[in-house]
């Protein structure tokens, strides 16, 4: 069946929106948690504190993406609903156990692995399920859903700051567990469409299935050259992407002291990221085929440029302007991930295509922030870290430029194959009619002669 383009799909959209908000709102607000962890666990004698603490946040974000190929396999086997619900339960257990640790090391497992693993299992089905309920409006719906994380990114830093100051880090983590519990309930809304299709068509296979029985791990997406380039370019761009989210708060503390409200920067990032997701999500619906990639190229160019401008801002207002632009193009990059995946590999393989890509993304997103923390520990400033963080997005954007051209050539080749077959069939038909005509003529002449 065709996607219903609404109905229960709107409920699914709201649930997926909460999922994006809860998962990435917490992850993107890690700068506030990072500063709190430095104060709680740190001592003046520990010269590698920023490096060690950065691992908690970056390991968490990295694991969210690293688990994605496994999550996509589970999603294909068991369906979006079961995977999302179990994932939220694991995330809840990880976050709750993080509130009982007394040193930084256990957080690597409870927050960095367990909580993040649960988030990954809850998050990815929210991307996949939307393609089953929407097709024509997919860009807009993805924009609305991913804007959910912006709403949380806007509000959570202030809430976290108030909570940490009043009840401490541990109780703050317990309050965040409420968000994950609601995420657990939201997972139950991901109703599969395949059963409805079976009822209507008398047991025939529906077009949109949650469990393709062909292969458990489907590597056929890598046969698509445009997807291979995409899976190389995006991770290449992301080595510096997560660095501002982790270290910007500490950089502001180092440069301006306590005289400025650093949470305003995450507010600016969140607001314009939400605006960017809604605007560019809608714009993507009007851009045909793989040319949507050009939006990601532009977004990486501006993200890289803005990252390099962070050390140049000696006035707090300048940092606000940088964060406004960075958020806008961050929203653009995120909201068109799923539509591009659908465009490159089709609806049938999109779950694992997104899974593999997010898995590749985990590597740069895990190692980028600790490297920036190491540079800060050794150089005493974040300036070099932010300059270097701006280079990978420019390189990744340049790689992505080739995708529309490659994808168009692939489509032309695919179209040419059946056309070639048809023309040879027609030629054979023409030859056979010519032969039959040639044999019929002398027969008729002989008949008329008698």
């Amino acid at each position: 069946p065709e996607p219903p383009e609404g109905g229960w799909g709107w409920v699914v959209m709201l649930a997926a929106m909460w999922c994006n908000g809860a998962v990435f709102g917490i992850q993107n607000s890690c700068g506030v948690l990072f500063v709190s962890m430095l104060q709680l666990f740190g001592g003046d004698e520990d010269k590698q504190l920023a490096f060690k603490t950065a691992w908690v946040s970056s390991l968490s974000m990295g694991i969210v993406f690293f688990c994605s190929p496994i999550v996509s396999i589970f999603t294909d086997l068991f369906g979006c609903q079961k995977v999302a619900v179990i994932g939220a339960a694991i995330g809840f257990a990880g976050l709750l156990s993080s509130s009982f640790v007394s040193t930084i090391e256990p957080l690597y497992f409870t927050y960095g692995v367990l909580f993040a693993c649960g988030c990954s299992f809850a998050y990815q089905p929210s991307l996949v399920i939307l393609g089953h309920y929407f097709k024509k409006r997919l860009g807009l719906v993805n924009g609305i859903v991913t804007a959910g994380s912006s709403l949380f990114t806007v509000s959570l830093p202030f809430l976290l700051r108030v909570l940490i100051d009043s009840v401490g880090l541990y109780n703050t983590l317990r309050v965040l567990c409420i968000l994950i519990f609601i995420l657990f309930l939201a997972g139950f809304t991901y109703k599969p469409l395949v059963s409805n299709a079976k009822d209507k068509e008398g047991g025939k296979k529906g077009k949109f299935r949650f469990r393709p029985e062909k292969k458990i791990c489907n590597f056929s997406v890598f046969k698509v050259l445009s997807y291979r380039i995409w899976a190389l370019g995006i991770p290449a761009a992301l080595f510096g992407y997560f660095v501002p989210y982790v270290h910007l708060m500490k950089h502001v503390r180092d440069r301006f002291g306590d005289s400025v409200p650093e949470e305003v920067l995450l507010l600016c990032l969140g607001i314009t990221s939400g605006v960017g997701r809604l605007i560019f999500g809608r714009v993507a619906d009007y851009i045909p085929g793989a040319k949507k990639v050009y939006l990601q190229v532009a977004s990486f160019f501006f993200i890289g440029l803005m990252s390099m401008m962070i050390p140049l801002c000696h006035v707090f207002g300048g940092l606000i302007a940088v964060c406004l632009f960075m958020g806008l193009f961050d929203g653009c990059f995120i909201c068109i991930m799923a539509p591009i995946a659908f465009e490159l590999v089709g609806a049938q393989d999109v779950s694992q295509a997104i899974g593999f890509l997010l898995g590749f993304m985990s590597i740069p997103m895990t190692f980028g922030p600790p490297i920036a923390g190491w540079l800060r520990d050794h150089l005493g400033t974040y300036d070099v870290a932010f300059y270097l963080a701006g280079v990978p997005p420019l390189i990744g954007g340049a790689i992505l430029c080739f995708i529309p051209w490659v994808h168009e050539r692939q489509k032309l080749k695919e179209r040419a194959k059946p056309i070639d077959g048809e023309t040879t069939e027609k030629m054979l038909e023409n030859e056979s009619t010519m032969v039959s005509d040639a044999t019929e003529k002398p027969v008729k002449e002989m008949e008329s002669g008698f």
Side-chain angles (χ1 to χ4, degrees), residues 83-102:
V83 173
V85 167
I86 292 167
I90 295 168
F92 181 86
L95 194 57
L96 189 63
S97 56
S98 297
S99 68
F100 293 101
V101 302
S102 55

Side-chain angles (χ1 to χ4, degrees), residues 6-124:
W8 185 255
W10 297 118
V11 178
V12 171
M13 183 194 78
L14 290 173
M17 185 174 166
W18 182 274
C19 175
N20 270 260
V23 170
F24 288 106
I26 294 171
Q27 297 288 356
N28 292 342
S29 302
C30 62
V32 179
L33 296 174
F34 178 74
V35 172
S36 179
M37 286 174 193
L38 284 175
Q39 291 169 345
L40 186 65
F41 299 117
D44 295 332
E45 70 283 349
D46 194 343
K47 300 296 179 192
Q48 286 195 311
L49 189 61
F51 173 72
K52 285 201 281 194
T53 311
W55 271 108
V56 178
S57 304
S58 61
L59 187 65
S60 179
M61 186 60 105
I63 290 288
V64 168
F65 294 121
F66 181 74
C67 290
S68 294
I70 304 158
V71 178
S72 63
I73 294 167
F74 276 91
T75 304
D76 283 345
L77 284 173
F78 303 111
C80 293
Q81 191 181 61
K82 289 177 184 172
V83 173
V85 167
I86 292 167
I90 295 168
F92 181 86
L95 194 57
L96 189 63
S97 56
S98 297
S99 68
F100 293 101
V101 302
S102 55
T103 58
I104 196 86
E105 285 77 14
L107 281 174
Y108 294 147
F109 175 72
T110 58
Y111 188 89
V113 177
L114 200 61
F115 169 62
C117 193
C119 285
S120 183
F121 273 76
Y123 163 66
Q124 202 184 324

Side-chain angles (χ1 to χ4, degrees), residues 31-32 34-35 242-256 262 264-266 269 306-307 310-311 316 319-320 322-323 326 382 386:
V32 179
F34 178 74
V35 172
F242 198 46
V243 169
Y245 283 100
V246 175
H247 294 289
L248 189 57
M249 301 291 96
K250 187 71 173 76
H251 169 71
V252 172
R253 280 275 176 99
D254 289 351
R255 180 162 287 187
F256 300 102
E262 65 265 28
V264 170
L265 297 178
L266 285 180
L269 273 170
M306 292 302 112
S307 185
I310 289 171
F316 190 64
L319 272 179
I320 288 175
V322 164
C323 287
M326 188 179 271
Y382 278 114
F386 283 120

